[in-house]
Amino acid sequence: MRLHRLSITAFGPFGATQEVDFDALSSAGLFLLHGPTGAGKTSVLDAVCFALYGAVPGARQSPGASLRSDHAPADLPTEVQLELTVGGRRLEVTRSPAQPRPKKRGDGFTLEKAQSRLRGHDPERGWQALSKSHQEIGEELTRLIGMSRDQFCQVVLLPQGDFARFLRSDAEARGKLLGRLFDTRRFAAVEERLAELRRGGEARVTAADERILALAQRIAQAAGPAGGEATPIAARPGEPGLAEAVLEWAAVARSTARERLDIAHRVLTGAEGRQRTARHALDTERELARLQERYEETVRRAAALEERRPEHDRCQEELERARKADRVAPALELREEAELAHRRADAALDRARAQLPSDLADAGPDQLAELERRFRQELGGLESARRAEARSAGIDGERELLERESRADDATVRDADAWLAGWDAVHAGLRERIATAQEAATRAERLAGLLAPARRRLEAARRRDALADELLAAGETLAEARERALDAHESWLGLRERRLRDIAAELAAGLVDGTPCTVCGSAEHPAPATEGDGHVDRATEETALTAHRRAEETRARAEQALGLVRERHATAHAEARDAAAPAAADGSSAAVADGEAQGAPGPSVDELRDTVDRLAAEHAAEHLLAAGTHAAREALDAAEREHADRLELRQEAERRAAARTSRREALDREQTALHDELAAVRGASGSVAAHADRLTRRVELLAEAAEAVRAEQDAARRRKEADDRLSDAAFRAGFDTPEAAAATLLDAAAQRDLQHRIDAWQAEAAAVADRRAERDAREAAEQPAARPSAAQGAFETAEWLLREASSALAAADQRCGELTRLSRQAADEVRRLGPVRQEYERVARLAGLAAGTSADNERKMRLEAYVLAARLEQVAAAATARLQRMSSGRYTLVHSDARTGGRRAGLGLHVVDAWTGSERDTATLSGGETFFASLALALGLADVVTEEAGGVRLDTLFIDEGFGSLDDQTLDEVLDVLDSLRERDRSVGIVSHVADLRRRIPVRLEVVKERQGSSVRHRL
């Protein structure tokens, strides 16, 4: 993974947009990221992490913290854009956090949602949008980088403070860090899974035992009070022999139940015989009672049938007469239809004759047809007159059009003459307007050349005055820092001198009788020196030395800040004086340099502001006037075009007037001839069309009247024919008149009702006759009355005894079946319990081994700790390769599986000192040794995590702080190791404020802290 470019806007301490060119910084392989404390060095790394993962490193992601810069204006949104190459793809990711923005309408702010954008670069098509989804972008970048955010922050940003604590921490703390980096949650999940399997297996074994006990309880309930011996219900799950005892007792219960079943079978057989005898007696009495009742019902139905016989005869006669009248019905319907058609035709004839003249009221159809033919011939002869009348109307329209054209051409000629009269004056005025605008453009261009330098001078003067206050404040800060540094130096020298005076007492504290003195070599110590009043020990001196160094660092930073402000103030002062001196416009800068050397004051801001305002006003006025040049030219061109157009329009109007005169004379002659022709044709009508309409109406009326006469004659003929057919049909059907047949007609529903009543009487008569012929009913009527209730009582008693015997048999059979089923279930449960118990024992052994509680786990090491120990061993081996080079071959890191102080085993970390050959804890290293040991550990961890992540190449690394604790020789060795990381085009960025690194690393990215917000500067 290689970083190319980073853009930061309104993020952290950066109030405006800042660009970081990692390609330029990485060209040297090793570059320095430096700046004063609080300037924003770490914020640059935070921006890289935020662009890739949407969040800053966990240690700096405090709850409620905002990534937006307090220096940024309200309308400038916070945004981070990073361009990088990862996985062989050139990508650009842009992220904006959730932030307030001014409302588009009204006052106040509204919360803008977080946004993310991802683009990819294609060599042929350029940048292409890929996604705007937070989740998709996060998943894609994590997949390509191959590391989580914690791994990235630990491997790419290399925070030294974490690894210094890692060296001094115990096994628990090391386990947390390694677990987070190597994501050993899957091994912890394996431990938890095995524990869950063990608990699940134990639960299944317990549940199986409980099911066997439950089955024993149910077997006891099924066996009843006479089920056999006592049950093993009092046993508990997990006790040995439980399953065998349950199976043995179930066999005894089944044998007892089968004996009781045989007894129930014998009792049921006797009850069934008694029940069959009672059933036969009951059926006999019931049949006798049914036959006697049936005979009595037959007698009642025969009497009722004779009472309805007269009604049956009347219905039959009425139905026969209605069926005769049905043969006359078609003729009646035809007569009614003919009568209705005749009335309609007669009414239509009356309406048609009412519209005819009185002399044609009684005319026949032939006379009406002859008149219709004559009028049609006359109507056909009007077509030529129609064309003549249409042409006459067209001539009137053409003459009106000629008049309108004549009036329009006269108006055109008058307008053209009026406009052309003032052409000379308009033409001269437009030319003068163009000349004035061109002169104003020349003056505006000259004023623009004076306005830009004046504005630059005004801005430089403002910066100069603002930096003057900062210069004064920086001078006061430097004076205070120098005074504090001198005080701290004097305090340290005084304490050091007092300690050296009393060094004998400090050495005497380590004397032991019989051991030679390290100063004089004597084994006897008769009068060891003692500590006097105000003795200074080593810790006090080192505290004073630390305070002295910090004061020196503060003084150095103050000097740097003062130099920076002084440089910026001098630049602004020179820019304000340079451009302010008109005499220097010839390109000479000697006068400006002499003025600076003599301390001559520059122009004030008010003077420069007045000059800028005056030049701006003059420029605006001239620019406004010059802006009319194009409009004036366009107006002149338009006027010239209009002059030519008006001349052409006047000539065309005159030509059209001459042509209209000859056309008007020809139309007059044609109109006279047409009027004579139409006067002869129209007669009394106002027009040929009116005359034609009158003839057309006459033809329609005559045709309608002739058709009505013929229709009325046809309807009268059909009515007479229908009367004849109706009389003949009534006579043949046996009726004296058609009216008598019509009175006898019945509709289909009435006839069906009569037929149903006749059929019902006949069906009842047939049924009664059949019932009278039944012999068994007559014989039963001759016997004594039946007594079915007594037989019913005897049968119910026998039935009750049978049900009781059946219930007893069913209960015994159900008990046997239930005991058999429950015994089979108990046997199945016992068989299934065997493999479950074996699986539980196997999983329990594995879970105990993974959790470190098993006797087979000698070191009592959990599975996750075992994996972390293996990773720590890899990290120690990778770190040793660089630690030996940094320490000139003195130190080696090794990992230990020993269990110390009751803590977890496998995560111990020791350092081997080649000078003494001893192995000691890493917590005993000094400050400088701890730094390069932690740096080696960080680089080794980066290699292992990178390999763990799939071998993703990391071409850009950052190392954050810690170089101030190294001496010159160790610093050179550390830088040599870092410089070796440049192999195969890898670049390393060192984040530090140590001043000596600026001399050793020429390529730098400086973060400058300013009142308006921090900014970055490249030193290449």
Side-chain angles (χ1 to χ4, degrees), residues 21-34:
D21 189 352
F22 284 114
D23 286 337
L25 295 172
S26 301
S27 60
L30 193 64
F31 63 91
L32 177 65
L33 176 59
H34 72 96

mmCIF file with all atom_site columns, all heavy atoms in Angstrom, residues 21-34:
data_model
loop_
_atom_site.group_PDB
_atom_site.id
_atom_site.type_symbol
_atom_site.label_atom_id
_atom_site.label_alt_id
_atom_site.label_comp_id
_atom_site.label_asym_id
_atom_site.label_entity_id
_atom_site.label_seq_id
_atom_site.pdbx_PDB_ins_code
_atom_site.Cartn_x
_atom_site.Cartn_y
_atom_site.Cartn_z
_atom_site.occupancy
_atom_site.B_iso_or_equiv
_atom_site.pdbx_formal_charge
_atom_site.auth_seq_id
_atom_site.auth_comp_id
_atom_site.auth_asym_id
_atom_site.auth_atom_id
_atom_site.pdbx_PDB_model_num
ATOM 1   N N   . ASP A 1 21 ? 1.806  16.085 -0.196 1.00 0.00 ? 21 ASP A N   1
ATOM 2   C CA  . ASP A 1 21 ? 2.257  15.325 -1.360 1.00 0.00 ? 21 ASP A CA  1
ATOM 3   C C   . ASP A 1 21 ? 3.173  14.205 -0.873 1.00 0.00 ? 21 ASP A C   1
ATOM 4   O O   . ASP A 1 21 ? 4.379  14.392 -0.696 1.00 0.00 ? 21 ASP A O   1
ATOM 5   C CB  . ASP A 1 21 ? 2.986  16.255 -2.344 1.00 0.00 ? 21 ASP A CB  1
ATOM 6   C CG  . ASP A 1 21 ? 3.293  15.570 -3.666 1.00 0.00 ? 21 ASP A CG  1
ATOM 7   O OD1 . ASP A 1 21 ? 3.077  14.347 -3.753 1.00 0.00 ? 21 ASP A OD1 1
ATOM 8   O OD2 . ASP A 1 21 ? 3.754  16.241 -4.599 1.00 0.00 ? 21 ASP A OD2 1
ATOM 9   N N   . PHE A 1 22 ? 2.618  13.026 -0.624 1.00 0.00 ? 22 PHE A N   1
ATOM 10  C CA  . PHE A 1 22 ? 3.413  11.902 -0.137 1.00 0.00 ? 22 PHE A CA  1
ATOM 11  C C   . PHE A 1 22 ? 4.365  11.392 -1.215 1.00 0.00 ? 22 PHE A C   1
ATOM 12  O O   . PHE A 1 22 ? 5.421  10.839 -0.891 1.00 0.00 ? 22 PHE A O   1
ATOM 13  C CB  . PHE A 1 22 ? 2.501  10.770 0.327  1.00 0.00 ? 22 PHE A CB  1
ATOM 14  C CG  . PHE A 1 22 ? 1.851  11.030 1.649  1.00 0.00 ? 22 PHE A CG  1
ATOM 15  C CD1 . PHE A 1 22 ? 0.484  11.198 1.745  1.00 0.00 ? 22 PHE A CD1 1
ATOM 16  C CD2 . PHE A 1 22 ? 2.607  11.112 2.810  1.00 0.00 ? 22 PHE A CD2 1
ATOM 17  C CE1 . PHE A 1 22 ? -0.122 11.428 2.957  1.00 0.00 ? 22 PHE A CE1 1
ATOM 18  C CE2 . PHE A 1 22 ? 2.003  11.353 4.028  1.00 0.00 ? 22 PHE A CE2 1
ATOM 19  C CZ  . PHE A 1 22 ? 0.644  11.516 4.105  1.00 0.00 ? 22 PHE A CZ  1
ATOM 20  N N   . ASP A 1 23 ? 4.013  11.553 -2.495 1.00 0.00 ? 23 ASP A N   1
ATOM 21  C CA  . ASP A 1 23 ? 4.934  11.121 -3.554 1.00 0.00 ? 23 ASP A CA  1
ATOM 22  C C   . ASP A 1 23 ? 6.234  11.903 -3.489 1.00 0.00 ? 23 ASP A C   1
ATOM 23  O O   . ASP A 1 23 ? 7.333  11.330 -3.615 1.00 0.00 ? 23 ASP A O   1
ATOM 24  C CB  . ASP A 1 23 ? 4.271  11.306 -4.925 1.00 0.00 ? 23 ASP A CB  1
ATOM 25  C CG  . ASP A 1 23 ? 3.206  10.250 -5.182 1.00 0.00 ? 23 ASP A CG  1
ATOM 26  O OD1 . ASP A 1 23 ? 3.292  9.181  -4.557 1.00 0.00 ? 23 ASP A OD1 1
ATOM 27  O OD2 . ASP A 1 23 ? 2.307  10.498 -5.991 1.00 0.00 ? 23 ASP A OD2 1
ATOM 28  N N   . ALA A 1 24 ? 6.131  13.238 -3.283 1.00 0.00 ? 24 ALA A N   1
ATOM 29  C CA  . ALA A 1 24 ? 7.349  14.047 -3.182 1.00 0.00 ? 24 ALA A CA  1
ATOM 30  C C   . ALA A 1 24 ? 8.116  13.722 -1.906 1.00 0.00 ? 24 ALA A C   1
ATOM 31  O O   . ALA A 1 24 ? 9.356  13.652 -1.913 1.00 0.00 ? 24 ALA A O   1
ATOM 32  C CB  . ALA A 1 24 ? 6.984  15.532 -3.227 1.00 0.00 ? 24 ALA A CB  1
ATOM 33  N N   . LEU A 1 25 ? 7.402  13.513 -0.792 1.00 0.00 ? 25 LEU A N   1
ATOM 34  C CA  . LEU A 1 25 ? 8.082  13.200 0.466  1.00 0.00 ? 25 LEU A CA  1
ATOM 35  C C   . LEU A 1 25 ? 8.734  11.823 0.416  1.00 0.00 ? 25 LEU A C   1
ATOM 36  O O   . LEU A 1 25 ? 9.787  11.608 1.027  1.00 0.00 ? 25 LEU A O   1
ATOM 37  C CB  . LEU A 1 25 ? 7.081  13.255 1.621  1.00 0.00 ? 25 LEU A CB  1
ATOM 38  C CG  . LEU A 1 25 ? 6.465  14.630 1.928  1.00 0.00 ? 25 LEU A CG  1
ATOM 39  C CD1 . LEU A 1 25 ? 5.361  14.486 2.960  1.00 0.00 ? 25 LEU A CD1 1
ATOM 40  C CD2 . LEU A 1 25 ? 7.537  15.598 2.431  1.00 0.00 ? 25 LEU A CD2 1
ATOM 41  N N   . SER A 1 26 ? 8.128  10.880 -0.285 1.00 0.00 ? 26 SER A N   1
ATOM 42  C CA  . SER A 1 26 ? 8.638  9.508  -0.318 1.00 0.00 ? 26 SER A CA  1
ATOM 43  C C   . SER A 1 26 ? 9.774  9.327  -1.304 1.00 0.00 ? 26 SER A C   1
ATOM 44  O O   . SER A 1 26 ? 10.372 8.249  -1.349 1.00 0.00 ? 26 SER A O   1
ATOM 45  C CB  . SER A 1 26 ? 7.502  8.548  -0.684 1.00 0.00 ? 26 SER A CB  1
ATOM 46  O OG  . SER A 1 26 ? 6.445  8.645  0.242  1.00 0.00 ? 26 SER A OG  1
ATOM 47  N N   . SER A 1 27 ? 10.075 10.351 -2.094 1.00 0.00 ? 27 SER A N   1
ATOM 48  C CA  . SER A 1 27 ? 11.133 10.200 -3.095 1.00 0.00 ? 27 SER A CA  1
ATOM 49  C C   . SER A 1 27 ? 12.491 9.932  -2.454 1.00 0.00 ? 27 SER A C   1
ATOM 50  O O   . SER A 1 27 ? 13.340 9.240  -3.022 1.00 0.00 ? 27 SER A O   1
ATOM 51  C CB  . SER A 1 27 ? 11.200 11.461 -3.965 1.00 0.00 ? 27 SER A CB  1
ATOM 52  O OG  . SER A 1 27 ? 11.487 12.599 -3.153 1.00 0.00 ? 27 SER A OG  1
ATOM 53  N N   . ALA A 1 28 ? 12.702 10.476 -1.227 1.00 0.00 ? 28 ALA A N   1
ATOM 54  C CA  . ALA A 1 28 ? 13.977 10.263 -0.536 1.00 0.00 ? 28 ALA A CA  1
ATOM 55  C C   . ALA A 1 28 ? 13.938 9.021  0.347  1.00 0.00 ? 28 ALA A C   1
ATOM 56  O O   . ALA A 1 28 ? 14.960 8.651  0.931  1.00 0.00 ? 28 ALA A O   1
ATOM 57  C CB  . ALA A 1 28 ? 14.329 11.485 0.310  1.00 0.00 ? 28 ALA A CB  1
ATOM 58  N N   . GLY A 1 29 ? 12.790 8.373  0.495  1.00 0.00 ? 29 GLY A N   1
ATOM 59  C CA  . GLY A 1 29 ? 12.682 7.175  1.303  1.00 0.00 ? 29 GLY A CA  1
ATOM 60  C C   . GLY A 1 29 ? 12.414 7.459  2.756  1.00 0.00 ? 29 GLY A C   1
ATOM 61  O O   . GLY A 1 29 ? 11.573 6.820  3.384  1.00 0.00 ? 29 GLY A O   1
ATOM 62  N N   . LEU A 1 30 ? 13.119 8.442  3.356  1.00 0.00 ? 30 LEU A N   1
ATOM 63  C CA  . LEU A 1 30 ? 12.971 8.784  4.772  1.00 0.00 ? 30 LEU A CA  1
ATOM 64  C C   . LEU A 1 30 ? 12.646 10.264 4.870  1.00 0.00 ? 30 LEU A C   1
ATOM 65  O O   . LEU A 1 30 ? 13.370 11.097 4.322  1.00 0.00 ? 30 LEU A O   1
ATOM 66  C CB  . LEU A 1 30 ? 14.272 8.475  5.528  1.00 0.00 ? 30 LEU A CB  1
ATOM 67  C CG  . LEU A 1 30 ? 14.224 8.475  7.050  1.00 0.00 ? 30 LEU A CG  1
ATOM 68  C CD1 . LEU A 1 30 ? 13.307 7.364  7.530  1.00 0.00 ? 30 LEU A CD1 1
ATOM 69  C CD2 . LEU A 1 30 ? 15.616 8.297  7.630  1.00 0.00 ? 30 LEU A CD2 1
ATOM 70  N N   . PHE A 1 31 ? 11.505 10.613 5.503  1.00 0.00 ? 31 PHE A N   1
ATOM 71  C CA  . PHE A 1 31 ? 11.146 12.013 5.646  1.00 0.00 ? 31 PHE A CA  1
ATOM 72  C C   . PHE A 1 31 ? 10.684 12.266 7.070  1.00 0.00 ? 31 PHE A C   1
ATOM 73  O O   . PHE A 1 31 ? 10.332 11.333 7.804  1.00 0.00 ? 31 PHE A O   1
ATOM 74  C CB  . PHE A 1 31 ? 10.065 12.421 4.631  1.00 0.00 ? 31 PHE A CB  1
ATOM 75  C CG  . PHE A 1 31 ? 8.764  11.703 4.795  1.00 0.00 ? 31 PHE A CG  1
ATOM 76  C CD1 . PHE A 1 31 ? 7.746  12.204 5.600  1.00 0.00 ? 31 PHE A CD1 1
ATOM 77  C CD2 . PHE A 1 31 ? 8.534  10.506 4.118  1.00 0.00 ? 31 PHE A CD2 1
ATOM 78  C CE1 . PHE A 1 31 ? 6.557  11.549 5.744  1.00 0.00 ? 31 PHE A CE1 1
ATOM 79  C CE2 . PHE A 1 31 ? 7.338  9.834  4.262  1.00 0.00 ? 31 PHE A CE2 1
ATOM 80  C CZ  . PHE A 1 31 ? 6.340  10.357 5.070  1.00 0.00 ? 31 PHE A CZ  1
ATOM 81  N N   . LEU A 1 32 ? 10.711 13.536 7.462  1.00 0.00 ? 32 LEU A N   1
ATOM 82  C CA  . LEU A 1 32 ? 10.415 13.942 8.836  1.00 0.00 ? 32 LEU A CA  1
ATOM 83  C C   . LEU A 1 32 ? 9.127  14.753 8.841  1.00 0.00 ? 32 LEU A C   1
ATOM 84  O O   . LEU A 1 32 ? 8.951  15.664 8.027  1.00 0.00 ? 32 LEU A O   1
ATOM 85  C CB  . LEU A 1 32 ? 11.568 14.783 9.410  1.00 0.00 ? 32 LEU A CB  1
ATOM 86  C CG  . LEU A 1 32 ? 11.368 15.333 10.828 1.00 0.00 ? 32 LEU A CG  1
ATOM 87  C CD1 . LEU A 1 32 ? 11.300 14.193 11.828 1.00 0.00 ? 32 LEU A CD1 1
ATOM 88  C CD2 . LEU A 1 32 ? 12.484 16.304 11.189 1.00 0.00 ? 32 LEU A CD2 1
ATOM 89  N N   . LEU A 1 33 ? 8.244  14.444 9.760  1.00 0.00 ? 33 LEU A N   1
ATOM 90  C CA  . LEU A 1 33 ? 7.016  15.201 10.000 1.00 0.00 ? 33 LEU A CA  1
ATOM 91  C C   . LEU A 1 33 ? 7.196  15.885 11.353 1.00 0.00 ? 33 LEU A C   1
ATOM 92  O O   . LEU A 1 33 ? 7.160  15.228 12.396 1.00 0.00 ? 33 LEU A O   1
ATOM 93  C CB  . LEU A 1 33 ? 5.806  14.268 10.005 1.00 0.00 ? 33 LEU A CB  1
ATOM 94  C CG  . LEU A 1 33 ? 4.450  14.897 10.335 1.00 0.00 ? 33 LEU A CG  1
ATOM 95  C CD1 . LEU A 1 33 ? 4.106  15.995 9.344  1.00 0.00 ? 33 LEU A CD1 1
ATOM 96  C CD2 . LEU A 1 33 ? 3.357  13.830 10.328 1.00 0.00 ? 33 LEU A CD2 1
ATOM 97  N N   . HIS A 1 34 ? 7.450  17.200 11.332 1.00 0.00 ? 34 HIS A N   1
ATOM 98  C CA  . HIS A 1 34 ? 7.786  17.892 12.576 1.00 0.00 ? 34 HIS A CA  1
ATOM 99  C C   . HIS A 1 34 ? 6.968  19.167 12.690 1.00 0.00 ? 34 HIS A C   1
ATOM 100 O O   . HIS A 1 34 ? 6.305  19.622 11.753 1.00 0.00 ? 34 HIS A O   1
ATOM 101 C CB  . HIS A 1 34 ? 9.286  18.194 12.630 1.00 0.00 ? 34 HIS A CB  1
ATOM 102 C CG  . HIS A 1 34 ? 9.708  19.295 11.666 1.00 0.00 ? 34 HIS A CG  1
ATOM 103 N ND1 . HIS A 1 34 ? 9.851  20.595 12.034 1.00 0.00 ? 34 HIS A ND1 1
ATOM 104 C CD2 . HIS A 1 34 ? 9.983  19.240 10.334 1.00 0.00 ? 34 HIS A CD2 1
ATOM 105 C CE1 . HIS A 1 34 ? 10.228 21.310 10.979 1.00 0.00 ? 34 HIS A CE1 1
ATOM 106 N NE2 . HIS A 1 34 ? 10.309 20.515 9.935  1.00 0.00 ? 34 HIS A NE2 1
#
